[in-house]
Amino acid sequence: MTRSTARRTGLRQLIVLIILAALVYCWGLSASAVDRWYVGGIYPGIALALRTISAPVPFSLGDLLYAGLIAWLIFSLVRAALKLVRNRSRETFEKFGLALLRTLLILYLAFKLLWGLNYNRQPAYRALGLNDAAYSREQLFLLGQFILQKTNDTKQAAVSMPQLSKTELLTGAVSAYRQMEERNALFRYERPSVKAVTSSWLTSMAGIEGYYIPLTGEANINTGIPGFALPFVTCHEIAHQTGIAYEDEANLLGYLTAVNSADARFRYAAYYQALRYILLEMALRSDPAYLKLKARISPAVRADFTLERNFWQQYDSSVSSYMSATFDRFLKLNDQEKGIKSYQDIVVWLWNIYGPLLQKEHRKSIKPRA
């Protein structure tokens, strides 16, 4: 093949990739089209196929593939840089530019088609019959009181139970999702593929509890974190496997799944996590009721807060800050304007789930007697 023929072939490939990327991007502009053809069409088949392939592998196949991909990209960039140093001709620069652009377009298409179009679907809360009404400071305190009492009570029920094994963690999460599927098809989950991360130390250094791998459809869990937190993290990552891309919505599905489990350890993990988010929200608002609510935490739950804080303090590093900043940017690029702060939006959903009943009971409690 002559140089001119190779150049024309490369340009044709690039044009095809640009057209495909443009079509996928335009597809994502219509939530209804994404829901009809992707969420209700090709994604379930893609996800099922990926999990069918990855599930039998006893280790994280995605971690291995990511490591190989990163190594290949580094090798390719170094080799291209050396070529540019040796030969600074226009043709060499063109080849490098075309190759880099083709690679980026292929990665974009792979990400969007394997999972990323889920960012463009209709909000999950609509499928759950919820609204996104805001709450006042007083309403947040009402919610905090309710969740705190539930956290204290479920801790008491779970305190005598042993820590969940990896097998029990998976079977418990799958059972909880199947139970929720009977209420809403949004919770449908088949062919489980949940793995422990390859290196808990590295993952903890990055400040990560778990992550989803679009290349293999695996949900990877950092099993090195305190055991009481694992049920919620597992249910959260499974939500990503079902096609829930946004972090606040994955928190919502993870919470609803865990809190409705028959296992008190799952329910405690859900309430504990919800309480964390509520306390953080109150602290961010400089709410004077924050200390009042915090003082009511039972000694057993307080011990878990201390355990979790001490665990993450030993991994406090610049790596964690860098990863948080990188993930924040990634979320913003995928239409999550709040970035990493979107995790905190679970409080809105919690209020809309429990708020009406809590307000009704509160009005009854303050109604003067005749």
Side-chain angles (χ1 to χ4, degrees):
M1 183 183 294
T2 64
R3 289 184 178 180
S4 60
T5 303
R7 185 171 181 274
R8 286 196 298 271
T9 301
L11 285 172
R12 282 197 294 268
Q13 291 174 348
L14 181 61
I15 291 171
V16 170
L17 288 172
I18 290 173
I19 292 172
L20 290 174
L23 289 173
V24 169
Y25 176 79
C26 291
W27 188 5
L29 296 177
S30 172
S32 60
V34 170
D35 277 356
R36 181 176 181 182
W37 301 108
Y38 186 74
V39 176
I42 67 172
Y43 175 71
I46 290 173
L48 192 60
L50 289 174
R51 293 199 298 271
T52 299
I53 294 169
S54 64
V57 181
F59 54 86
S60 175
L61 183 60
D63 282 351
L64 184 63
L65 289 177
Y66 273 157
L69 179 61
I70 292 171
W72 175 78
L73 287 172
I74 293 174
F75 172 77
S76 299
L77 287 173
V78 170
R79 186 176 63 175
L82 291 174
K83 284 183 179 180
L84 288 173
V85 170
R86 289 195 300 265
N87 183 4
R88 298 183 180 182
S89 67
R90 178 179 175 181
E91 182 182 355
T92 305
F93 277 97
E94 283 184 356
K95 283 183 178 179
F96 173 76
L98 290 174
L100 180 60
L101 190 53
R102 280 199 302 267
T103 301
L104 292 175
L105 287 169
I106 290 171
L107 290 176
Y108 170 80
L109 286 168
F111 171 72
K112 295 297 284 187
L113 292 175
L114 290 177
W115 185 70
L117 274 171
N118 284 303
Y119 279 109
N120 305 104
R121 66 192 290 174
Q122 294 284 352
Y125 73 86
R126 292 181 183 172
L128 294 170
L130 297 175
N131 60 55
D132 56 353
Y135 49 81
S136 65
R137 180 174 289 184
E138 293 74 20
Q139 290 169 335
L140 180 60
F141 182 65
L142 274 179
L143 177 64
Q145 285 182 304
F146 171 77
I147 294 295
L148 173 60
Q149 188 60 52
K150 289 291 186 180
T151 307
N152 287 342
D153 291 346
T154 50
K155 179 60 178 178
Q156 189 173 359
V159 72
S160 61
M161 302 175 73
Q163 182 173 312
L164 289 158
S165 67
K166 292 179 182 179
T167 301
E168 290 172 330
L169 190 65
L170 176 59
T171 56
V174 172
S175 175
Y177 262 90
R178 286 176 179 164
Q179 177 182 333
M180 290 302 294
E181 184 187 346
E182 295 178 1
R183 306 185 189 184
N184 194 301
L186 195 65
F187 293 86
R188 182 174 294 115
Y189 180 56
E190 301 175 284
R191 306 283 176 85
S193 183
V194 179
K195 313 282 184 68
V197 298
T198 301
S199 173
S200 178
W201 181 79
L202 284 175
T203 308
S204 298
M205 282 290 291
I208 296 173
E209 294 179 320
Y211 51 88
Y212 173 68
I213 302 181
L215 276 178
T216 58
E218 293 168 305
N220 281 17
I221 311 299
N222 181 358
T223 53
I225 67 175
F228 64 83
L230 288 172
F232 178 83
V233 175
T234 303
C235 290
H236 172 101
E237 296 306 327
I238 288 176
H240 285 314
Q241 288 183 300
T242 66
I244 302 301
Y246 286 101
E247 294 302 330
D248 58 340
E249 294 185 347
N251 272 339
L252 175 61
L253 263 72
Y255 172 82
L256 290 173
T257 304
V259 84
N260 284 288
S261 168
D263 193 315
R265 292 165 292 188
F266 274 77
R267 297 196 302 276
Y268 173 66
Y271 284 127
Y272 173 89
Q273 193 69 26
L275 181 61
R276 279 184 70 238
Y277 286 125
I278 291 169
L279 288 172
L280 177 58
E281 184 70 12
M282 295 178 76
L284 292 173
R285 291 174 172 228
S286 300
D287 192 333
Y290 167 78
L291 294 177
K292 182 179 179 182
L293 191 65
K294 189 176 178 181
R296 299 180 186 177
I297 300 174
S298 72
V301 175
R302 193 179 298 274
D304 283 342
F305 272 99
T306 302
L307 177 63
E308 186 178 34
R309 183 179 65 252
N310 292 341
F311 173 82
W312 289 112
Q313 281 180 346
Q314 66 180 318
Y315 294 103
D316 188 21
S317 67
S318 58
V319 176
S320 176
S321 299
Y322 174 76
M323 289 299 293
S324 293
T326 302
F327 189 51
D328 181 71
R329 181 59 181 162
F330 169 80
L331 293 175
K332 288 177 179 177
L333 286 172
N334 284 281
D335 300 321
Q336 291 184 255
E337 295 180 0
K338 295 182 181 179
I340 204 166
K341 293 180 181 178
S342 63
Y343 278 83
Q344 194 62 17
D345 287 344
I346 180 63
V347 180
V348 173
W349 312 123
L350 290 174
W351 172 252
N352 283 279
I353 291 169
Y354 299 115
L357 180 60
L358 291 176
Q359 282 189 305
K360 185 177 180 180
E361 292 180 349
H362 180 63
R363 284 193 292 267
K364 284 182 179 179
S365 67
I366 63 174
K367 184 177 180 180
R369 295 181 179 180

